Amino acid sequence: MEIEVLNNHLLLLPQRAIYWQEKQALILSDLHFGKTTHFRKAGIPVPEALFQDDLATLNHLVATHNPKQLIVVGDMFHSHHNNEVEQFAEWRLANNLLDIHLILGNHDILGKSKYDELNLQLSDVYVRDGFTFSHEPIPGTSSFNFSGHIHPGIRLEGPARQSLKFPCFLFTPNGCVLPAFSKFTGLSLISPAVDRRVFAIVGQEVLSC
């Protein structure tokens, strides 16, 4: 689904990302690479296939849209260095010409030397072409603010009082909160309101709610 913000055209993708057409940039949030290994080390049997699926999805997005830049609004990694970070490093080496700008999130605690090795540009807040990118939403910002952190989701009602929860993009007059890219995350349920536009990701479709 395509929407327009400040004369810029944004494709809301079912892979939980936004493609900014004018700048050939993919915007993502909360990839949490390393999370499944972190849980397995704690004795929780989380399948590694979850990480492999997320990495394959990222690879598909890059191959499909051929972006010049990835803008990650926080929590690209989940915690300390582990084998999933090394697998991402191999992917990064194969995509070494791609500019990746990481806005640091609360889980991004790798050492600076590792970020340098991965060739990532780092910011606490990133401003580009009239937009502000941050991990958490910035209240009262004067520019349109892309953020993550919240993992927004919405409950949709079906027949016979059935309901299901889906990740969503949450737009307000001043910003957009992206869904978590990682499928191994919870959802913070939000409700539509007069000053909100909600776009749910249902399978391979993005639906306006």
Side-chain angles (χ1 to χ4, degrees):
M1 174 176 289
E2 181 179 318
I3 67 168
E4 185 175 335
V5 176
L6 302 178
N7 298 317
N8 285 265
H9 298 84
L10 307 174
L11 289 179
L12 308 185
L13 303 172
Q15 293 84 10
R16 309 186 185 198
I18 293 175
Y19 183 62
W20 182 6
Q21 295 185 67
E22 281 75 11
K23 301 303 176 183
Q24 295 178 258
L26 279 169
I27 309 169
L28 309 95
S29 182
D30 296 277
L31 289 78
H32 287 280
F33 286 157
K35 186 175 182 179
T36 58
T37 293
H38 177 78
F39 272 64
R40 286 199 303 277
K41 285 182 177 179
I44 302 171
V46 178
E48 186 180 359
L50 290 171
F51 163 72
Q52 298 295 343
D53 184 52
D54 285 340
L55 190 60
T57 299
L58 177 61
N59 200 53
H60 169 76
L61 286 172
V62 170
T64 300
H65 297 281
N66 192 28
K68 293 181 178 178
Q69 183 182 40
L70 295 186
I71 303 172
V72 182
V73 290
D75 287 356
M76 186 169 192
F77 304 98
H78 184 72
S79 60
H80 299 284
H81 179 269
N82 60 34
N83 69 314
E84 288 179 23
V85 176
E86 285 306 307
Q87 290 180 64
F88 172 76
E90 294 177 9
W91 182 91
R92 180 66 175 123
L93 188 62
N95 295 271
N96 63 328
L97 298 181
L98 179 63
D99 175 51
I100 302 180
H101 201 117
L102 169 61
I103 295 86
L104 291 167
N106 53 297
H107 282 280
D108 292 312
I109 58 174
L110 298 178
K112 184 180 183 304
S113 61
K114 192 63 186 179
Y115 291 126
D116 289 342
E117 180 186 328
L118 294 170
N119 191 22
L120 306 180
Q121 299 181 55
L122 304 179
S123 298
D124 292 317
V125 176
Y126 177 47
V127 178
R128 182 180 181 190
D129 298 280
F131 293 117
T132 298
F133 300 86
S134 60
H135 182 49
E136 297 187 37
I138 303 175
T141 181
S142 59
S143 64
F144 194 88
N145 179 204
F146 289 96
S147 62
H149 184 62
I150 295 173
H151 306 178
I154 189 168
R155 187 188 304 274
L156 299 181
E157 304 290 337
R161 298 183 179 179
Q162 295 178 342
S163 67
L164 292 171
K165 295 181 288 184
F166 298 96
C168 67
F169 299 91
L170 171 61
F171 280 81
T172 68
N174 297 318
C176 167
V177 182
L178 277 81
F181 181 81
S182 172
K183 299 176 185 66
F184 185 36
T185 54
L187 295 176
S188 177
L189 293 179
I190 54 93
S191 300
V194 173
D195 62 344
R196 291 175 167 180
R197 299 172 68 192
V198 178
F199 299 90
I201 300 170
V202 182
Q204 293 302 307
E205 294 185 85
V206 178
L207 306 176
S208 179
C209 298

